[in-house]
């Protein structure tokens, strides 16, 4: 019987589970005698099913370890690709130790990939293979990685500092966990770090810390996408009745689009939504909706996201689309139980009642969850093709776009968007702070995006060619931005603007900005001493002109 088929009692499992790291286990890892269970399933009847053992060349993880967007082949670590015996032992020891930190399986896969790349480079030269990990060979590896390129949208570019840093981190992992192996001779860099070796110093480091890397979906792409996908939600009853495959797929993709856009969820959190997993509450004559799903990123269990009503409609439509697949899941569970196929029972129970079910046509039409990779790399770009756009739309762009649009809505600039989101005229940050079960990281993202948006607005005020008008605050800013001595003091106009604008509160009145600490009541930003009107408000004032 192979290890993957082995069913163990609790007592048997306890004796065969891989021991905690110790000097003895380290010695066994070095000489290749370390054995034991590393991944397993705990079944409903209290027994354990072994998935993989330390001595195996392939470690298979249970689906519960990954996110809902993780496909089966991403739940495997293949050590066989490392041909050198000692290097394979080091890779296993590093991964096993990092597993104790509860890292996501995707992070473990990335570490193994980077270790494999490093070991391949080591073996390409007799010199580096003999010397092992030293400051000298590590410096040579840095020079090698700096020559590598990647292809993005058909364009060949040098590796980013982020990518290079990840490749260098594994050398630090080797020194940290494998110092007792003969291969590891010294720390890879003296008085330095992987980040510094990757170029994260000076302006590069400052830019990495402050610059938002994920692009915001531009309005000229987002608005047509909203119109196109909303038309499918409006025709949901018709499409569900006719059951045309192409139309059904676009309806499903449109539902996922609106869930991503209006909640700020990550793709695996959308894929984790179950039937009817939302609630509503009414306060001060306004109805608020909250969607519940599981987040593997920042939560060990369930969390909630604020959502407009259209998001709950999307969930209901997805429930109808997946109803036949859910019925098949229930039949397959009964069949797997009858065959004592514990692993299949476990897999099916993990996906049961989710609204994003699909058929895996490469595996005998087995029911599974939609793939996050397929949605990001194929289905979302396909939506762009439907509107004639070549924008490379992906799921992670929605999260920052959500934060950016929510902040603009709060500041009063995007009234059309506010109509879509209905209740979002209330401060988003206050709503998130009100409920401890909401995604804390998204709340932080909203605050960060709010800072970036406000900083951009205020920076514009201090530019000489930016027209502004209003009361005393506007006139003071005009005087400051023309003061050459102040610019010399701060070093640049940008630094001067940051110093002054950090203490200026900002609130939209719809036709201007209010910089009063208290709530604005006059509604006259063109004449109030705390008011500022800039070119963003030109359309409103033009309509008021006779």
């Amino acid at each position: 019987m192979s290890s993957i088929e082995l069913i163990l009692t609790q007592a048997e499992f306890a004796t065969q589970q891989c021991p905690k790291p110790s000097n003895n286990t380290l010695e066994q890892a070095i000489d290749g005698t370390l054995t034991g269970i590393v991944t397993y399933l705990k079944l409903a009847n209290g027994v354990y099913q072994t998935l993989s053992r330390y001595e195996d060349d392939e470690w298979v993880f249970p689906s519960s370890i990954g996110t809902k967007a993780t496909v089966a082949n991403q739940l495997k670590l293949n050590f066989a690709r490392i041909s050198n015996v000692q290097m394979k032992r080091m890779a296993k020891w590093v991964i096993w130790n990092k597993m104790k930190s509860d890292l996501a399986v995707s992070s473990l896969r990335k570490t193994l990939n980077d270790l494999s790349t490093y070991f391949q480079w080591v073996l390409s030269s007799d010199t580096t293979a003999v010397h092992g990990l030293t400051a000298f060979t590590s410096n040579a590896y840095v020079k090698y990685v700096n020559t590598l390129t990647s292809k993005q949208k058909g364009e060949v570019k040098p590796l980013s500092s982020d990518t290079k840093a990840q490749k260098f981190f594994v050398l630090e992992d080797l020194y940290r966990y494998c110092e007792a192996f003969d291969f590891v001779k010294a720390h890879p860099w003296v008085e330095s770090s992987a980040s510094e070796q990757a170029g994260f110093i000076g302006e590069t480091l400052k830019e990495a810390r402050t610059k938002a890397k994920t692009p915001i979906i531009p309005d000229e792409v987002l608005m047509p996408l909203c119109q196109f996908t909303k038309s499918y939600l409006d025709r949901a009853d018709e499409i569900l009745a006719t059951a045309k495959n192409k139309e059904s797929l676009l309806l499903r993709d449109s539902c996922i689009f609106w869930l991503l856009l209006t909640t700020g969820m990550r793709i695996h959190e959308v894929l984790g939504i179950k039937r009817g997993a939302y609630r509503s509450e009414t306060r001060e004559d306004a109805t608020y909706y909250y969607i519940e799903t599981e987040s593997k990123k920042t939560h060990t269990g369930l969390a909630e996201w604020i959502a407009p009503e259209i998001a709950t409609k999307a969930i209901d439509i997805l429930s109808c689309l997946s109803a036949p697949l859910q019925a098949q899941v229930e039949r397959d569970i009964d069949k797997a139980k009858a065959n004592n196929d514990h692993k299949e029972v476990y897999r099916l129970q993990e996906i049961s009642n989710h609204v994003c079910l699909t058929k895996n046509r490469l595996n005998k039409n087995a029911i599974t969850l939609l793939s996050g990779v397929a949605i990001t790399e194929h289905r979302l770009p396909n939506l762009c093709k439907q509107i004639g756009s070549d924008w490379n739309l992906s799921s992670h762009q929605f999260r920052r776009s959500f934060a950016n649009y929510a902040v603009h809505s709060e500041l009063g600039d995007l009234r059309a968007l506010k109509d879509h989101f209905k209740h979002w005229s209330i401060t988003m940050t206050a709503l998130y702070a009100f409920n401890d079960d909401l995604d804390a990281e998204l709340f932080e993202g909203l605050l960060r995006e709010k800072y970036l948006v406000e900083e951009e607005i205020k920076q514009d005020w201090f530019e000489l060619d930016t027209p502004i008008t209003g009361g005393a605050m506007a006139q003071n800013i005009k005087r400051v931005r023309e003061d050459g001595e102040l610019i010399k003091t701060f070093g640049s106009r940008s630094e001067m603007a940051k110093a002054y604008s950090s203490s200026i509160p900002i609130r939209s009145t719809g036709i201007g900005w209010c910089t009063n600490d208290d709530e604005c009541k006059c509604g006259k930003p063109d004449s109030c001493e705390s008011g500022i009107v800039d070119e963003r408000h030109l359309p409103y004032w033009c309509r008021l002109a006779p």
Side-chain angles (χ1 to χ4, degrees), residues 58-345:
E58 182 177 80
W59 293 359
V60 180
F61 291 78
S63 57
S64 58
I65 296 297
T67 70
K68 295 300 182 183
T70 307
V71 296
N73 63 0
Q74 293 176 331
L75 292 169
K76 298 177 181 178
L77 299 180
N78 181 15
F79 295 95
R81 63 163 108 175
I82 301 175
S83 58
N84 182 277
V85 173
Q86 185 189 32
M87 292 175 180
K88 185 188 298 184
R89 291 173 185 173
M90 286 190 288
K92 285 187 176 183
W93 186 248
V94 168
I95 296 298
W96 185 52
N97 276 275
K98 292 176 81 72
M99 282 175 61
K100 304 305 176 184
S101 301
D102 292 327
L103 287 181
V105 66
S106 58
S107 297
L108 298 175
R109 280 171 54 84
K110 185 69 174 65
T111 298
L112 180 57
N113 289 341
D114 289 334
L115 281 170
S116 179
T117 299
Y118 171 66
F119 287 141
Q120 286 175 6
W121 173 82
V122 169
L123 294 173
S124 68
S125 165
D126 291 339
T127 302
T128 50
V130 170
H131 284 282
L133 179 64
T134 66
F136 175 79
T137 57
S138 298
N139 182 58
Y141 186 61
V142 169
K143 291 180 179 178
Y144 163 73
V145 170
N146 285 336
T147 67
L148 300 179
T149 58
S150 64
K151 195 171 184 180
Q152 302 174 18
K153 301 179 183 178
E155 184 179 355
V156 177
K157 295 183 178 181
L159 297 184
S160 68
S161 295
D162 272 337
T163 301
K164 289 191 286 188
Q166 292 301 318
K167 290 185 178 297
F168 300 153
F169 281 141
V170 296
L171 275 66
E172 295 181 357
D173 287 336
L174 283 171
Y175 180 78
R176 177 183 179 186
Y177 299 114
C178 299
E179 190 177 2
F181 284 77
D182 290 339
F183 178 83
V184 178
K185 305 295 196 306
H187 193 282
W189 10 83
V190 180
E191 296 181 356
S192 183
S193 66
S195 295
E196 187 174 358
Q197 294 296 319
F200 281 127
I201 54 177
E203 289 301 314
T204 303
L205 177 60
K206 183 178 179 182
E207 182 179 351
R209 287 175 174 171
T210 58
K211 185 178 179 181
K213 300 175 184 177
T214 302
I216 295 170
I217 306 169
D219 287 350
E220 60 269 24
V221 174
L222 182 62
M223 295 310 170
L225 280 172
C226 286
Q227 293 169 351
F228 176 80
T229 54
K230 180 64 162 53
S231 70
Y232 271 80
L233 267 65
D234 291 340
R235 296 193 297 114
D237 290 341
E238 169 197 336
I239 295 171
L240 288 167
T242 56
K244 293 181 179 178
N245 189 50
K246 182 179 178 180
E247 293 284 276
S248 295
L249 285 176
L250 284 172
L251 174 59
R252 182 197 68 188
D253 298 343
S254 297
C255 290
I256 292 172
F257 170 92
W258 278 95
L259 284 167
L260 288 168
L261 175 65
T262 62
T263 65
M265 289 184 187
R266 304 172 186 87
I267 186 60
H268 83 265
E269 292 155 351
V270 169
L271 297 179
I273 296 173
K274 293 186 177 182
R275 299 167 180 276
Y278 60 82
R279 65 181 178 88
S280 64
E281 62 180 45
T282 301
R283 298 200 307 269
E284 298 179 358
D285 298 324
T287 301
Y288 303 91
Y289 297 90
Y290 299 86
I291 297 175
E292 182 183 76
T293 184
E294 185 178 19
S295 175
K296 289 286 186 179
K297 182 73 173 182
T298 55
H299 296 273
T300 55
L302 298 174
E304 287 187 320
W305 282 260
I306 298 169
E309 188 174 7
I310 191 172
T312 66
K313 180 179 179 181
I315 292 175
D316 291 338
I317 294 170
L318 288 171
S319 296
C320 293
L321 281 168
S322 62
L325 299 178
Q326 175 59 30
Q328 183 63 50
V329 166
E330 293 168 5
R331 291 193 294 269
D332 289 347
I333 288 175
D334 291 339
K335 182 178 178 181
K337 286 181 177 179
N339 294 332
N340 288 321
D341 190 344
H342 303 290
K343 185 180 177 184
E344 180 67 359
V345 171

Side-chain angles (χ1 to χ4, degrees), residues 385-430:
K385 290 180 182 177
Q386 302 300 314
I387 62 166
S389 171
D390 61 357
W391 178 260
N392 188 26
L393 185 65
S394 58
S395 59
H396 63 275
Q397 295 170 12
F398 285 88
R399 191 167 172 89
R400 182 168 179 233
S401 297
F402 166 87
N404 184 269
Y405 290 129
V407 168
H408 275 88
S409 181
E410 177 188 331
L411 293 176
D413 259 7
L414 293 181
R415 297 191 170 192
L417 189 75
K418 195 180 294 182
D419 289 341
H420 270 306
F421 294 164
K422 306 303 181 189
H423 65 255
W424 285 11
S425 57
I426 292 179
T427 303
M428 284 296 301
T429 50

